[in-house]
Amino acid sequence: MSPQHFLIFFLFLLSFHSLTSITAQDTDFVHQIDRNLLGLDMKKEKLSHFKFYWHDIQSGQNPTSVRVVSPPLNLNTTTLFGLVNMIDNPLTLGPELSSKVVGKAQGFYASASQSEVGLLMAQNFAFIEGKYNGSTITILGRNPVFNKVREMPVIGGSGLFRFARGYAEATTHVFNYKNGDATVEYNVYVFHY
Ligand SMILES: *[C@@H]1O[C@H](CO)[C@@H](O)[C@H](O)[C@H]1NC(C)=O
Ligand SMILES: *[C@@H]1O[C@H](CO)[C@@H](O)[C@H](O)[C@H]1NC(C)=O
């Protein structure tokens, strides 16, 4: 190859390189990576079933569920439409509040239906038990509380629940009509690594 030809070839390579480098693949903003670099080996994905009880404690000196927004007084509704409660509800292994605490349900629920008591649930299950200590599962879903079983999506998680997906089924165990306290059984089915 003569020096001129080499130069032309070199310039061709250079322009080819600058053409490819302006495609989205190679910017500093986004890169494709091998999933195994994050320990996300597909074969290691597992399906776990968690069962625990969720305690909504509104009564007494130390409520874990507090009303932060009341339904507007001018609305004639029996569904508490507009209500918002902030929660830091204990999650226990057994139905009794005295049984082992495995985490807290932190978030809020809001009355989002005018035709029934239907809650929007936005909560993180923050676990403290064993290897799950510090990991969270995030639930965002609809909860028509007087239905026997309510299904809510698991929309993600952190720690051991990175990339989590799945669903939770909630069933009321006890509801105290006098003071509003409730114990709800949660069964959570979640894919995670
Ligand atoms: C509220 O609604 C109920 C039935 O939906 C009705 O019987 C009642 O009169 C209403 N009350 C007011 C103050 O509008
Ligand atoms: C969970 O982790 C926190 C922070 O690392 C630690 O302080 C706490 O003792 C742990 N709890 C349990 C039950 O292991």
Side-chain angles (χ1 to χ4, degrees):
M1 208 186 273
S2 72
Q4 289 96 331
H5 279 118
F6 182 79
L7 189 66
I8 289 166
F9 182 65
F10 181 74
L11 286 173
F12 171 76
L13 275 185
L14 209 64
S15 64
F16 185 71
H17 176 78
S18 57
L19 270 180
T20 52
S21 66
I22 56 170
T23 63
Q25 293 274 344
D26 253 357
T27 66
D28 286 337
F29 176 56
V30 55
H31 296 274
Q32 317 260 286
I33 63 165
D34 184 336
R35 57 195 300 148
N36 293 304
L37 285 176
L38 293 182
L40 301 174
D41 181 355
M42 249 176 193
K43 284 183 229 113
K44 290 201 185 121
E45 192 180 38
K46 41 193 170 286
L47 176 62
S48 299
H49 171 200
F50 293 85
K51 179 182 167 180
F52 44 76
Y53 291 83
W54 178 101
H55 301 268
D56 197 57
I57 306 162
Q58 306 196 17
S59 67
Q61 292 302 302
N62 295 302
T64 63
S65 175
V66 297
R67 182 180 291 195
V68 292
V69 178
S70 289
L73 287 172
N74 60 342
L75 284 187
N76 182 13
T77 164
T78 53
T79 69
L80 301 173
F81 183 60
L83 164 126
V84 180
N85 265 46
M86 196 60 65
I87 62 171
D88 186 19
N89 286 349
L91 304 172
T92 61
L93 274 187
E96 272 71 48
L97 190 52
S98 56
S99 77
K100 189 179 173 69
V101 175
V102 294
K104 298 283 187 68
Q106 299 175 335
F108 65 85
Y109 58 78
S111 177
S113 171
Q114 291 180 291
S115 56
E116 65 183 325
V117 182
L119 304 179
L120 162 69
M121 309 293 291
Q123 54 180 339
N124 293 309
F125 293 150
F127 295 104
I128 57 168
E129 176 62 15
K131 67 174 180 174
Y132 299 103
N133 186 14
S135 292
T136 65
I137 287 177
T138 301
I139 303 272
L140 183 72
R142 178 170 176 270
N143 183 8
V145 296
F146 292 116
N147 288 9
K148 184 157 171 40
V149 182
R150 292 87 71 185
E151 181 181 327
M152 292 166 252
V154 167
I155 61 162
S158 71
L160 290 179
F161 300 109
R162 286 174 184 168
F163 291 100
R165 60 210 156 85
Y167 65 97
E169 286 182 339
T171 314
T172 303
H173 184 68
V174 188
F175 178 62
N176 184 327
Y177 281 89
K178 286 207 182 98
N179 61 17
D181 289 356
T183 302
V184 177
E185 179 182 324
Y186 267 82
N187 285 279
V188 185
Y189 301 90
V190 58
F191 279 115
H192 63 105
Y193 289 94

